[in-house]
Amino acid sequence: MTAAGKHQVSRAQTRGNRQGRAGIRDVAAAAGVSITTVSDALNGKGRLPDATRQHVREVADRLGYRPSAAARTLRTGKSGLIGLTVTTYGNEPFTFTEFAYFAEMARAATSAALDRGYALVILPATSRHDVWSNVALDGTVVIDPSDQDPVVSELVRQGLPVVSDGRPAGSLPVTAWVDNDHEAAVLGILDHLAAAGARRIGLLTGTTTDTYTRLSTTAYLRWCRRIGQDPVYEEYPAHDPCAGAVAADRLLARPDRPDAVYGLFDPNGTDLLAAARRYGLRVPEDLLLVCCSESTVYATTEPPITTLSLKPRRIGTAVVQLLIDAIESVETTGPIEQVIPTELIVRTSSQRRPPRRTVSPPRPSGQG
Amino acid sequence: MTAAGKHQVSRAQTRGNRQGRAGIRDVAAAAGVSITTVSDALNGKGRLPDATRQHVREVADRLGYRPSAAARTLRTGKSGLIGLTVTTYGNEPFTFTEFAYFAEMARAATSAALDRGYALVILPATSRHDVWSNVALDGTVVIDPSDQDPVVSELVRQGLPVVSDGRPAGSLPVTAWVDNDHEAAVLGILDHLAAAGARRIGLLTGTTTDTYTRLSTTAYLRWCRRIGQDPVYEEYPAHDPCAGAVAADRLLARPDRPDAVYGLFDPNGTDLLAAARRYGLRVPEDLLLVCCSESTVYATTEPPITTLSLKPRRIGTAVVQLLIDAIESVETTGPIEQVIPTELIVRTSSQRRPPRRTVSPPRPSGQG
DNA sequence: ATGAAAGCGCTAACAC
DNA sequence: GTGTTAGCGCTTTCAT
């Protein structure tokens, strides 16, 4: 035994604490130093000689010591946890409507958070206190918050920073937001279709009132008014995949059938393609097609379909950066409102003169 | 003022505590009771008169009191947090390879956890202590853990329950696991294809060594041996979408070209379909196709493709139930190892006599 | 039926 | 440089 005896006596010497797991006191005792020294050594604080630091680290390692996250959180007021919430449609607690979009966005957000030492907690958009208040959050990311979102209000009232994916409707007091310029995106697509020869462009849109749907639809209507085209659109509840197929069918069954369609939601491309086949319409010869999607399947459909990407990875990353900057009160480099450009991936379905499509010979396999 | 004065004096009466947020002491003072009474009243414990309980609740509400999750966690040793980890491939921190599968599974898991008062924390499969040990977990769900997974070992050593999606390879000491019977699923598909007239069935598989890929591939090889067919398969790194398209092409370019293919990964269906078109092969007349996928796009491809569903929602739910049972030491009703049946969704691509496909008249739209 | 007091394990301020 | 001390906000005996 070293000089351990001179330090404060605790349970640690009598008995291990929590179920045999070593606590900071056990480490201190075993290393023959005080708990402060242990804390400082392990956290790289204080001005300890490297020898001490090293020694403490070794002892901690040997004992398999892991600091208690709960205690640290209580003491410092920071948990390193960020909430992630998705607006729900209907009764399902989690309707990740735009599947690929959400998955990509969440993936990027998770990575970005991790890089800065934070982890993401998935939470429901309902304000069930018993869940939200049971987890210590440093801040929250809200995807597509509804107008007057109760969750957001509550969080803000608690003094927590909130950053939203999608510009907040009304006067929702978010700390910052990131979004695309949906109106510009729609106008761009309509122009693209018109340039490809479309005379009457239809829209497949949603019945929900979220900002994305609303902005996109009004942009479409405005474009129609400007161009002098009668709007041709069908609405359906975006969270219901079957309804999408039906709506696509309805759109192409109309007497004023459009010769080009833009679909706002991910599955619209395949649904419209299927509907077009049913009516014997060739794409792109009889019908031009574009849809908003992050899915890669549209690269290999017959024909490949032009898609609009909302760049979910960039959005997820940006949202998290803004939030953590707010949490840590770092000067955010950019503006508090960030607009991420969209990307139109042009494929055969929206080009009147499709690229040469011949049966290509088997390519020399690069790998085997 | 009521009898508040007789209770313990604290900062609470001098100053609000954390940035004006009410603490339990503030509530106690305002309600004229002790903090014990507040705690009991709010948590439904003790034997308090309903009047007191009600009164305390009102005061707490009025003050906007929210208990501190950190303090509760420290005191009780339970955080209500469950870790969710996905094995990573390559260098990316999060390669949710089977997109739809993961999204569905995570969604179900999140819901199931929420129903029981828990929330999910997304964590990386790397054993970076600085993240894992910074969050107080009650247990962890591990998706497809690798053999000798260091994360799992570490967690188990800490005494935390770990439940895995996918049976653990080797002697990984998980608390419980849930999985499909992948071998039976593959054999079922091969029989299905053979019954549809396939003479030579090919496999599109992965180069990774995870359990799913391994079991499925060996089942295929065993089936071939039993039937007396030469194996015809191509491998590729499953996390790389481009490699999948190339591998599909390679498979159909072989001199011993198969007349039926099963693809183990989600995008294989569209990739194989595209490759078949390039070689002028009609599906299902010249080539039968099945792939493992949770995606709904295969219902509307031309032709619709038969898919195997691994039932990720059932798996996600089961995993979480088992884990929470373990956390709460509830007697788990079922076995500690649960096998979830798969479902073969038969569509045109795997039937020699495809269902009648005529141009259907516009159906009467049910909604408008 | 209700209250006082003792910590949960850690960090930070301040002695020495 | 290193140790002592005072809590972070709550739950939980135990005493009244």
Side-chain angles (χ1 to χ4, degrees):
Chain A
M1 294 292 160
T2 65
K6 76 180 180 193
H7 297 299
Q8 61 191 128
V9 176
S10 79
R11 272 171 317 91
Q13 297 184 349
T14 337
R15 225 182 47 74
N17 45 15
R18 154 146 70 125
Q19 295 203 33
R21 267 197 53 185
I24 195 173
R25 278 189 274 266
D26 303 278
V27 178
V33 297
S34 77
I35 59 170
T36 306
T37 304
V38 174
S39 178
D40 285 351
L42 264 33
N43 295 330
K45 303 203 169 169
R47 281 186 308 282
L48 306 179
D50 278 357
T52 310
R53 219 177 274 279
Q54 191 56 35
H55 176 224
V56 170
R57 286 210 169 114
E58 277 172 20
V59 173
D61 251 28
R62 182 158 50 73
L63 266 47
Y65 167 72
R66 296 278 174 273
S68 149
R72 185 196 306 245
T73 299
L74 178 57
R75 182 62 235 239
T76 61
K78 254 81 192 80
S79 66
L81 256 27
I82 291 176
L84 176 66
T85 295
V86 191
T87 302
T88 62
Y89 304 92
N91 287 326
E92 288 213 43
F94 287 91
T95 330
F96 301 171
T97 307
E98 274 124 19
F99 246 17
Y101 176 87
F102 176 81
E104 286 280 313
M105 188 277 184
R107 182 155 78 105
T110 305
S111 283
L114 240 33
D115 285 345
R116 294 186 61 171
Y118 289 75
L120 257 46
V121 184
I122 309 176
L123 290 167
T126 64
S127 57
R128 277 186 51 192
H129 289 317
D130 49 329
V131 178
W132 277 91
S133 62
N134 249 334
V135 31
L137 257 29
D138 289 346
T140 301
V141 168
V142 186
I143 299 183
D144 218 359
S146 64
D147 201 355
Q148 308 295 340
D149 194 310
V151 171
V152 173
S153 320
E154 164 75 9
L155 290 169
V156 169
R157 207 179 58 70
Q158 282 181 34
L160 284 182
V162 175
V163 177
S164 73
D165 169 1
R167 69 199 73 202
S171 54
L172 214 58
V174 297
T175 310
W177 57 257
V178 180
D179 203 351
N180 307 108
D181 187 343
H182 293 302
E183 294 167 289
V186 169
L187 297 181
I189 287 168
L190 297 174
D191 287 342
H192 169 75
L193 289 171
R199 297 310 197 79
R200 176 158 41 208
I201 306 179
L203 184 75
L204 206 45
T205 179
T207 49
T208 50
T209 60
D210 58 294
T211 317
Y212 168 67
T213 305
R214 195 163 36 73
L215 289 182
S216 303
T217 308
T218 55
Y220 168 76
L221 295 174
R222 192 153 6 96
W223 187 87
C224 286
R225 203 171 319 122
R226 203 184 66 210
I227 295 297
Q229 183 211 298
D230 284 337
V232 188
Y233 63 94
E234 292 287 341
E235 298 177 324
Y236 76 98
H239 54 90
D240 178 352
C242 297
V246 174
D249 208 279
R250 226 160 51 212
L251 187 57
L252 298 190
R254 293 173 62 126
D256 55 342
R257 172 152 68 203
D259 60 353
V261 177
Y262 175 47
L264 287 186
F265 304 104
D266 200 299
N268 291 165
T270 42
D271 289 340
L272 284 163
L273 205 52
R277 275 197 303 266
R278 277 196 293 278
Y279 295 113
L281 300 170
R282 293 163 306 163
V283 176
E285 290 79 0
D286 307 318
L287 183 71
L288 295 165
L289 236 48
V290 177
C291 86
C292 181
S293 166
E294 310 305 328
S295 172
T296 54
V297 306
Y298 291 120
T300 50
T301 48
E302 172 61 24
I305 296 181
T306 297
T307 55
L308 178 78
S309 167
L310 302 179
K311 297 282 159 188
R313 318 212 0 194
R314 285 192 58 186
I315 291 185
T317 305
V319 161
V320 164
Q321 298 297 5
L322 285 170
L323 181 58
I324 296 180
D325 285 350
I327 290 170
E328 298 179 349
S329 300
V330 170
E331 275 318 305
T332 299
T333 50
I336 292 290
E337 305 173 354
Q338 274 187 23
V339 176
I340 306 289
T342 55
E343 183 187 5
L344 190 64
I345 301 164
V346 179
R347 301 202 183 91
T348 312
S349 75
S350 68
Q351 297 177 296
R352 271 292 186 246
R353 185 169 300 278
R356 179 176 58 94
R357 286 192 306 103
T358 58
V359 175
S360 52
R363 14 178 162 169
S365 61
Q367 320 196 21
Chain B
M1 296 291 158
T2 64
K6 78 179 180 196
H7 296 299
Q8 59 190 132
V9 177
S10 82
R11 272 174 315 93
Q13 297 184 348
T14 336
R15 226 181 46 75
N17 46 14
R18 155 148 66 128
Q19 295 205 32
R21 265 196 55 185
I24 196 173
R25 279 190 273 266
D26 303 278
V27 178
V33 295
S34 78
I35 60 172
T36 307
T37 304
V38 174
S39 178
D40 284 351
L42 264 32
N43 295 331
K45 303 203 170 171
R47 281 187 308 280
L48 306 178
D50 279 357
T52 311
R53 219 178 276 278
Q54 191 56 39
H55 176 224
V56 170
R57 289 212 169 113
E58 280 171 20
V59 173
D61 251 27
R62 182 157 50 74
L63 265 48
Y65 168 71
R66 295 279 173 275
S68 149
R72 198 208 294 286
T73 299
L74 177 57
R75 184 61 235 238
T76 62
K78 253 84 193 81
S79 65
L81 256 27
I82 291 175
L84 177 66
T85 294
V86 191
T87 302
T88 61
Y89 304 91
N91 287 327
E92 288 214 42
F94 287 92
T95 331
F96 302 172
T97 306
E98 273 122 20
F99 246 20
Y101 176 87
F102 176 81
E104 286 278 313
M105 187 278 182
R107 182 154 76 106
T110 306
S111 284
L114 240 35
D115 285 344
R116 294 187 63 172
Y118 289 75
L120 258 43
V121 185
I122 309 176
L123 290 168
T126 63
S127 57
R128 275 187 52 193
H129 289 315
D130 48 331
V131 178
W132 278 90
S133 62
N134 249 334
V135 32
L137 257 28
D138 289 346
T140 301
V141 168
V142 185
I143 299 183
D144 217 0
S146 63
D147 200 353
Q148 310 295 340
D149 194 311
V151 172
V152 174
S153 320
E154 164 75 10
L155 291 168
V156 169
R157 208 180 57 70
Q158 283 182 34
L160 286 181
V162 175
V163 178
S164 73
D165 170 0
R167 70 199 73 202
S171 53
L172 215 58
V174 297
T175 311
W177 57 257
V178 180
D179 203 350
N180 306 108
D181 187 343
H182 294 302
E183 294 167 291
V186 169
L187 298 181
I189 288 169
L190 297 174
D191 287 341
H192 168 77
L193 288 171
R199 297 311 198 79
R200 177 162 36 212
I201 306 178
L203 183 75
L204 206 46
T205 179
T207 49
T208 51
T209 60
D210 57 297
T211 317
Y212 167 68
T213 306
R214 195 162 36 75
L215 290 182
S216 303
T217 307
T218 55
Y220 167 77
L221 295 174
R222 193 155 2 97
W223 187 88
C224 286
R225 206 174 315 123
R226 204 184 68 211
I227 295 297
Q229 183 212 297
D230 284 338
V232 188
Y233 62 95
E234 292 286 342
E235 299 177 323
Y236 75 97
H239 54 90
D240 178 351
C242 297
V246 174
D249 208 279
R250 226 159 51 210
L251 187 56
L252 299 190
R254 292 172 65 126
D256 55 343
R257 172 152 67 200
D259 60 354
V261 177
Y262 174 48
L264 287 186
F265 304 104
D266 200 299
N268 291 165
T270 41
D271 289 340
L272 285 164
L273 205 53
R277 274 197 302 266
R278 276 195 294 276
Y279 295 112
L281 300 171
R282 293 163 305 162
V283 176
E285 291 80 0
D286 306 319
L287 183 71
L288 296 165
L289 236 48
V290 177
C291 86
C292 181
S293 166
E294 310 303 328
S295 172
T296 55
V297 305
Y298 291 121
T300 50
T301 48
E302 172 60 23
I305 295 180
T306 297
T307 55
L308 177 78
S309 167
L310 303 179
K311 296 285 161 185
R313 317 210 3 191
R314 287 192 58 187
I315 291 185
T317 305
V319 162
V320 165
Q321 299 296 5
L322 284 170
L323 181 59
I324 297 180
D325 286 349
I327 289 170
E328 298 179 350
S329 299
V330 170
E331 276 314 305
T332 298
T333 51
I336 292 290
E337 305 173 354
Q338 274 187 23
V339 175
I340 305 290
T342 55
E343 182 187 6
L344 189 65
I345 302 166
V346 179
R347 301 202 183 91
T348 313
S349 74
S350 68
Q351 297 177 299
R352 272 291 188 247
R353 184 169 301 279
R356 178 176 56 95
R357 285 193 307 105
T358 58
V359 174
S360 52
R363 12 178 164 171
S365 62
Q367 321 194 17

